[in-house]
Amino acid sequence: MRFYFNSLQTGLKFATGSFLLAAFLLGAAPSFSQVTDGMSSGRNASKPEAAQKAEARIRQISNDAGKYFKQGLDNLGNNRRVQAREDFDRSVEIFLISGINVQADRGLRECYNELIETIYRMEFPTGQQPANLRRLSMVCGWEIKDEVADNVAAILQVPVKADTDSELTTAAVGGEVPVETELGIGFAEQKFEPSPLDELSKLVLTEEEQDVDSPEAQYEYEIIRSAAANKSLGFSFQMHRMVQQYLNYYRGRGRRTMEVGLYRSGYFMTMARRIFREEGVPENVAWLGQVESAWKPTAHSWASAAGLWQFIPGTGSRYGLRRTAYVDERQSFEQATRASARYLKFLANRYGGNWELAMAGYNCGEGNVDRAIRRAGVANFWAAYPYLPKETRNYVPNILATILIANNPQQYGFGHIRPAPRLRYDRLRVPASTNLQLIAQASDSTVQYLRFLNPELRTNRTPPEPYVVRVPAGKANEVVAILRRGTLVNDDSTRLAKTSKGETWETISNKTGVPVADLMAANPGMKTPQGKVFVPVVVGNNVEATTYSRPTTSGPAPTDPSIRIVKAKSGETVKKLAERVGASPVEVAKMNGLYVNSRLNAGREIRVPASVAKE
């Protein structure tokens, strides 16, 4: 939604880390190196049918994700960076929409972890720890050619200074890379997700797209006109040749835009339909969200419009969407959707139930529509059309075409698109200024995924008031139980650590370097450690080694010359790594706050004695 004022500030900078929010959509990581296409038919024959189907599904996920990733590498190698980012996004989404518990399969988990790490390194290359495409190829079995890996490595070597003016730079990467560091150019040319309206405002239909004079087109026109007059789509509208012209556009050069929109609509359309229905707005009008943002909560326009429904600050405030140092509710899922429905209903009432004029008003403001109606002499969109801003003239027929395609995708050549599954999450109220790191650890997730589920949050903590946040589905009760017994939920120097059966406060103290008294004070009423426990962070202790966040940065080199860092290999335990480098497993376990049999993720950095380290 965009209003036209006498002056509008342009050139706004946003650094929302668009890919990362999508990339960490699950906070876990899948992999499937265990299952290969080389399984003998004899092995499969001896397995239950359900097991065979599960393995086939895992192979399919791997193959599909690999296809998009390698396509992204090809686009990146040919300097098509925007297309590369879309392909990398889709590679990750293949895992997220699979419906498989990726945590339960070691192969899936390791491949997904490696994919996330690799793309992260490509988008934020530091030079110290470049993306390792060969390792990804090995873990996932994707057969990435050496020349492709070398070409991509060369492309990502160009260092540029990070945008120090952006308040969102560190948030975009989970706060793990300070803005002062030298970041490579990565594969993304933009640090935010542009609103599709920016392109729509400049769109000029070709002669071929405007050709709707064929007998087939005339027949199509009559079919649509009849459906519109009969309110077959939940509301009536006046059919016009421009609607058909946009149908032509989407069946041609706009096909990719429509495919992405139909796919992403699955995340939010169920929620949008419900809220629009509750507010008395035709459910199909909710497809306006596809034209506004392509269903991307982090979309921003040049006119400072934000979120799924592209509210500018003034109109957002008018409909109760707060914008503070802590939250920007224009980017909230439910709140912004309800505000959008209420604004559309207000506009429809203003124009006597005419939804075309309501949509026009949503785009350019009721003041512009009122003036156009006065000049036309009648409250009719097509009569007022010549007097409306150019973008609005494109906007309304575009939405009508989108609604027609969405309701009959097979008819218009989009029957192959399977919408993404509905985005599922739990909502719970947490105390003021709760640290997202704690919520992430309590929900077995990541800060990045929580930021995706709560795009309205502007920092890595909740506002200084009790606040409702979204957490992964099925995790609400567990998070509530943990936070209720904690006294340090708003303390940045507190982490959660998983405990094992039989552990005592003394063993945890030995692992973390935190005194027993401090541990018990952070967990009042807990005589023996159970589940996840609060651990205060003190400089020099090993608390970070006991958390289970994904390691994403190499960190500073150890200052102690007697220590060296070694990266774990896929499937290694502390014992295996120690034996590989010729060190004592007990000593290595103690140095890293781990057990001798602790299993390590591929790439995890482990401290070992420098005198024996060898690889």
Side-chain angles (χ1 to χ4, degrees), residues 220-332:
E220 179 184 68
Y221 178 93
E222 289 301 324
I223 294 290
I224 298 173
R225 186 188 63 79
S226 176
N230 293 330
K231 295 187 178 182
S232 297
L233 297 171
F235 66 101
S236 63
F237 62 90
Q238 182 181 342
M239 184 53 185
H240 192 276
R241 289 161 60 91
M242 275 200 69
V243 177
Q244 281 186 291
Q245 292 171 7
Y246 274 96
L247 289 173
N248 288 343
Y249 166 74
Y250 282 122
R251 284 181 286 209
R253 61 189 173 117
R255 172 170 291 278
R256 174 63 176 165
T257 300
M258 180 59 65
E259 287 177 340
V260 171
L262 291 177
Y263 169 76
R264 292 188 61 86
S265 71
Y267 292 132
F268 304 107
M269 198 57 187
T270 300
M271 172 203 68
R273 284 186 179 277
R274 172 181 58 80
I275 291 176
F276 273 50
R277 182 171 61 251
E278 291 171 354
E279 295 296 332
V281 177
E283 292 180 31
N284 271 317
V285 175
W287 285 103
L288 172 147
Q290 179 157 317
V291 177
E292 286 284 344
S293 68
W295 304 110
K296 295 178 180 178
T298 53
H300 288 76
S301 79
W302 65 271
S304 290
L308 289 172
W309 306 98
Q310 290 292 284
F311 277 101
I312 62 170
T315 311
S317 176
R318 176 177 160 191
Y319 282 87
L321 301 178
R322 293 184 302 161
R323 189 165 175 260
T324 70
Y326 307 99
V327 295
D328 185 347
E329 291 177 344
R330 297 178 302 159
Q331 294 181 251
S332 167

Side-chain angles (χ1 to χ4, degrees), residues 16-26 89 92 96 123 171-174 193 297-298 331 447-455:
T16 61
S18 60
F19 167 75
L20 290 176
L21 295 178
F24 287 93
L25 201 56
L26 265 193
D89 283 353
V92 172
L96 303 179
E123 182 152 13
V173 294
E193 294 188 273
T298 53
Q331 294 181 251
V447 171
Q448 288 86 351
Y449 185 43
L450 291 181
R451 292 295 296 269
F452 172 82
L453 289 179
N454 300 273

Side-chain angles (χ1 to χ4, degrees), residues 516-530:
V516 170
D518 291 348
L519 289 170
M520 296 185 71
N523 297 272
M526 186 180 288
K527 294 182 179 179
T528 58
Q530 297 176 353

Side-chain angles (χ1 to χ4, degrees), residues 102-169:
V102 297
Q103 293 275 28
D105 183 271
R106 190 183 74 180
L108 282 174
R109 184 173 63 250
E110 290 177 354
C111 182
Y112 182 76
N113 274 334
E114 197 63 43
L115 175 64
I116 293 297
E117 182 73 14
T118 300
I119 297 176
Y120 176 89
R121 295 295 172 198
M122 293 167 69
E123 182 152 13
F124 297 97
T126 63
Q128 298 176 343
Q129 193 172 352
N132 193 331
L133 293 175
R134 291 179 175 83
R135 184 167 63 200
L136 176 68
S137 178
M138 178 186 68
V139 171
C140 298
W142 286 350
E143 297 183 0
I144 298 171
K145 296 180 180 179
D146 287 346
E147 54 265 33
V148 173
D150 292 339
N151 186 31
V152 169
I155 290 172
L156 299 177
Q157 279 180 349
V158 183
V160 296
K161 194 70 175 177
D163 181 4
T164 56
D165 294 330
S166 172
E167 66 183 46
L168 296 176
T169 299

Side-chain angles (χ1 to χ4, degrees), residues 322 327 329 428-430 456-457 462-463 465-469:
R322 293 184 302 161
V327 295
E329 291 177 344
L428 67 143
R429 188 178 298 275
V430 298
E456 69 272 25
L457 295 180
T462 62
E465 63 193 40
Y467 194 80
V468 175
V469 297

